[in-house]
């Protein structure tokens, strides 16, 4: 399959009929793992010739595909009896395809998944509980930071292995700032200081200083943690209407002061595609992304980019799993599939091949090896920045609840209503809280 030219590492939204279709398919997928429960509990089956073919499915661009295929080829070199049926595509439509495969009884043995759906798939018993494997050493997570080792646990079961550490990054156009002799944003800058800084950039450089972050869930999440709240708490929302009103008011003030672009341009920046981020299209001096997207952003501009933490106390940031690999609970080759995950996560040679494409390697020994050998200056910058930010990481939150993708898309939809002036911050806050409660099934 061929991917979109520049898919994002972390899509920001899944809208409309795609979400409805996916939920119907996931509902249908519920019966498949139950029917295959016996297979999941038995030993691995191989073909008559003693060989095993594992199917594996992931999203990403062509570069990720080439690296992943090379790492899998290395596994086959060491385990000649194991081969792979490899399938990949761009982020857009990936989860529709995964839901279709799962519902149709053709789930891949190994598949990539992210925060949006790991709780949903785990809750439907689609994912194999990897806890016993990590307990007996077949899946070695001892070199993972604690925040990443536990990220992927849903209702006490390890539903996926974190394949890359990531964190929030405020990316800025250093070339633009240097041209106008403007200071760069700094880690630890307050939200008000950031907006004042952006207002000045707008006046001096005639380029909006910052993308409006009111629709960006990870920015909201960081801000909430700085207020002593969270995006989720147990099985409920971790915030109130008053919190969201304050968040929307913050950004209305920024728009009124000219610190951000106009709503039509803000909407462009809310797009999934990395190539449409305002920091690389020249329509804003900063964009709110994930730090591991720096190399991909750099491909879309000749300007020099820098990255700092989101505003406020950097301890509100955490070591986030950029994505996971999970094993299908109904696979006939569960032990072999787990061994592949263990290899991809912990083998030094595999680590050097995969690099930081999915984020910083979760295994700290492999991460240091990659950092010492990488030659790409953008990748070096990403590693250095994330390691620096990691010195101040706070505790990781729980994996997002089932319905998280809908919460994200509703935030974009309603924040844009406020940005265009069709709703007040208070009206938007009421609408968003109601929509988010529905999305996660909160009464």
């Amino acid at each position: 399959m061929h991917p979109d030219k520049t898919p994002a590492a972390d899509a920001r939204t899944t809208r409309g009929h795609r979400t409805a279709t996916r939920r119907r398919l996931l509902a249908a997928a519920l019966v498949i793992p139950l029917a295959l429960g016996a297979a999941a509990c038995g030993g691995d089956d191989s073909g008559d010739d003693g060989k095993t073919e594992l199917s594996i499915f992931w999203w990403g661009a062509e570069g990720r595909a080439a690296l992943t295929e090379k790492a899998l080829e290395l596994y086959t070199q060491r385990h000649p009896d194991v081969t792979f049926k490899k399938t990949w595509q761009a982020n857009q439509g990936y989860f529709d395809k995964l839901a279709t495969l799962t519902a149709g009884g053709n789930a891949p043995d190994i598949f990539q998944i992210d925060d949006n759906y790991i709780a949903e798939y785990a809750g439907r018993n689609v994912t194999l509980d990897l806890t016993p494997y990590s307990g007996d050493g077949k899946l070695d997570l001892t070199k993972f930071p604690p925040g990443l080792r536990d990220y992927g646990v849903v209702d006490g079961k390890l539903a996926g292995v974190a394949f890359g550490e990531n964190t929030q990054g405020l990316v800025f156009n250093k070339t633009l700032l240097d041209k106008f002799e403007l200071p760069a944003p700094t880690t630890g800058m307050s939200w008000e200081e950031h907006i004042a800084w952006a207002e000045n950039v707008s006046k001096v450089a005639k380029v909006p200083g910052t993308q409006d972050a009111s629709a960006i869930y990870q920015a909201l999440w960081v801000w909430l943690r700085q207020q002593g709240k969270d995006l989720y708490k147990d099985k409920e929302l971790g915030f109130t209407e008053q919190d969201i009103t304050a968040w929307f008011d913050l950004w209305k003030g920024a728009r009124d002061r000219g610190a951000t672009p106009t709503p039509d341009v803000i909407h462009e920046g809310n797009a999934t595609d990395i190539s449409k981020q305002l920091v690389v299209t020249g329509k804003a001096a900063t964009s709110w992304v994930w730090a591991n997207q720096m190399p991909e952003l750099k491909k879309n501009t000749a300007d020099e980019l820098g990255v700092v933490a989101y505003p406020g106390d950097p301890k509100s940031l955490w070591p986030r799993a950029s994505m996971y690999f999970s094993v299908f609970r109904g696979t006939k080759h569960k032990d072999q599939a787990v061994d592949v995950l263990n290899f991809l996560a912990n083998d030094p040679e595999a680590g050097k091949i995969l690099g930081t494409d999915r984020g910083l390697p979760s295994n700290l020994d492999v991460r240091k090896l990659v950092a010492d050998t990488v030659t790409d200056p953008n990748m070096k910058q990403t590693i250095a920045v994330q390691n620096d930010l990691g010195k101040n990481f706070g505790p990781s939150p729980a994996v997002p609840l089932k319905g998280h993708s809908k919460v994200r898309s509703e935030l974009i939809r309603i924040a844009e209503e406020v940005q265009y002036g069709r709703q007040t911050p208070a009206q938007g806050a009421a609408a968003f809280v109601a929509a988010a409660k529905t999305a996660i099934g909160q009464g």
Side-chain angles (χ1 to χ4, degrees):
M1 296 185 187
H2 297 287
D4 291 346
K5 187 175 181 181
T6 51
D10 185 278
R12 286 190 187 155
T13 184
T14 305
R15 301 183 186 237
H17 69 278
R18 290 194 185 98
T19 300
T21 299
R22 187 175 300 134
R23 292 193 182 283
R24 287 196 296 270
L25 290 166
L26 279 169
L30 176 61
V31 301
I32 302 301
L34 298 178
L36 295 175
C41 297
D44 284 5
D45 290 336
S46 300
D48 293 340
D49 57 359
K51 294 185 180 295
T52 299
E53 182 183 63
L54 294 173
S55 55
I56 182 168
F57 185 35
W58 70 90
W59 74 80
E62 292 181 5
R64 174 173 298 168
L67 296 174
T68 306
E69 289 172 355
K70 188 175 180 181
L72 294 174
E73 287 169 3
L74 178 61
Y75 185 89
T76 297
Q77 287 175 19
R78 297 186 184 175
H79 306 271
D81 291 338
V82 180
T83 58
F84 296 93
K85 178 183 178 182
K86 302 176 285 286
T87 310
W88 62 279
Q89 67 175 63
N91 185 291
Q92 186 172 3
Y94 172 85
F95 284 100
D96 290 323
K97 179 67 172 179
L98 181 61
T100 300
L101 291 171
T102 305
N106 297 310
D109 298 301
I110 302 169
F111 54 90
Q112 197 169 282
I113 199 164
D114 67 6
D115 279 352
N116 289 305
Y117 294 102
I118 190 167
E120 194 153 352
Y121 275 70
R124 295 181 183 277
N125 290 320
V126 175
T127 55
L128 178 68
D129 179 14
L130 300 171
T131 307
Y133 296 93
S134 62
D136 64 15
K138 293 179 181 176
L139 179 62
D140 185 4
L141 305 181
T142 59
K143 296 294 184 179
F144 284 33
L148 277 186
R149 188 167 60 240
D150 300 333
Y151 222 53
V153 174
V154 180
D155 294 332
K157 298 179 180 179
L158 184 61
V161 177
F163 262 80
E165 179 184 294
N166 202 1
T167 195
Q168 299 85 353
L170 181 67
V171 176
F172 61 91
N173 187 323
K174 188 176 185 302
T175 299
L176 173 71
L177 299 179
D178 288 349
K179 177 182 177 181
F180 290 94
E181 298 182 344
L182 290 165
T186 58
T187 292
M189 181 182 279
S190 72
W191 292 86
E192 281 297 340
E193 287 171 340
H194 172 74
I195 290 170
W197 170 87
E199 181 183 10
N200 187 54
V201 171
S202 299
K203 290 176 179 177
V204 175
K206 308 304 178 186
V207 174
T210 184
Q211 158 72 336
D212 182 321
S214 57
I216 300 172
Y217 86 97
Q218 64 262 37
L220 169 61
W221 201 343
V222 167
W223 181 85
L224 285 169
R225 282 165 64 93
Q226 292 166 354
Q227 317 309 310
K229 303 294 185 71
D230 217 320
L231 197 60
Y232 305 109
K233 184 178 181 181
D234 299 324
K235 298 294 184 181
E236 299 183 345
L237 300 180
F239 54 84
T240 65
E241 281 187 30
Q242 289 76 19
D243 297 321
I244 304 303
T245 299
W247 174 248
F248 285 164
D249 271 332
L250 177 72
W251 287 102
K252 182 180 185 301
R255 293 191 298 275
D256 292 345
R257 292 163 61 176
T260 75
T262 61
D264 284 345
V265 177
I266 295 168
H267 173 71
E268 290 180 27
N270 289 336
T272 296
D273 198 329
I274 281 292
S275 68
K276 292 184 174 65
Q277 297 310 303
L278 304 186
V279 75
V280 298
T281 61
K283 296 182 180 181
T286 63
S287 284
W288 307 73
V289 295
W290 296 100
N292 78 319
Q293 292 178 305
M294 274 288 289
E296 196 66 29
L297 284 166
K298 189 63 185 72
K299 292 177 184 177
N300 292 281
T301 179
D303 291 348
E304 183 180 355
L305 303 177
V307 60
V308 294
Y310 283 7
D313 186 352
K315 289 185 175 62
S316 58
L317 278 64
W318 65 92
R320 173 191 180 256
S322 54
M323 60 194 69
Y324 316 80
F325 269 116
S326 294
V327 174
F328 177 47
R329 194 172 76 96
T331 179
K332 296 180 179 179
H333 311 293
K334 61 183 187 303
D335 290 343
Q336 197 67 66
V338 171
D339 190 65
V340 172
L341 296 194
N342 189 64
F343 169 80
L344 294 176
N346 296 312
D347 184 84
E349 293 304 312
K352 285 194 291 186
I353 292 170
L354 296 172
T356 63
D357 180 76
R358 289 179 170 88
L360 297 192
S362 299
N363 181 309
L364 293 175
D365 290 348
V366 173
R367 184 184 304 182
K368 185 179 185 307
L369 178 65
V370 171
D372 291 343
T373 58
V374 68
T375 57
D376 182 335
N378 298 307
M379 198 175 290
K380 278 184 176 294
Q381 181 186 23
T382 297
I383 294 171
V385 166
Q386 284 193 223
N387 282 339
D388 185 57
L389 293 176
K391 296 173 184 176
N392 295 311
F393 278 157
S396 295
V399 170
L401 299 177
K402 174 183 175 181
H404 176 61
S405 64
K406 183 65 173 175
V407 172
R408 289 171 55 181
S409 62
E410 287 296 312
L411 178 63
I412 293 174
R413 181 181 68 81
I414 294 168
E416 290 189 350
E417 288 289 297
V418 178
Q419 290 162 9
Y420 279 101
R422 293 191 285 259
Q423 293 186 23
T424 66
Q427 289 169 335
F432 174 62
V433 170
K437 284 183 176 180
T438 299
I440 65 170
Q442 181 180 341

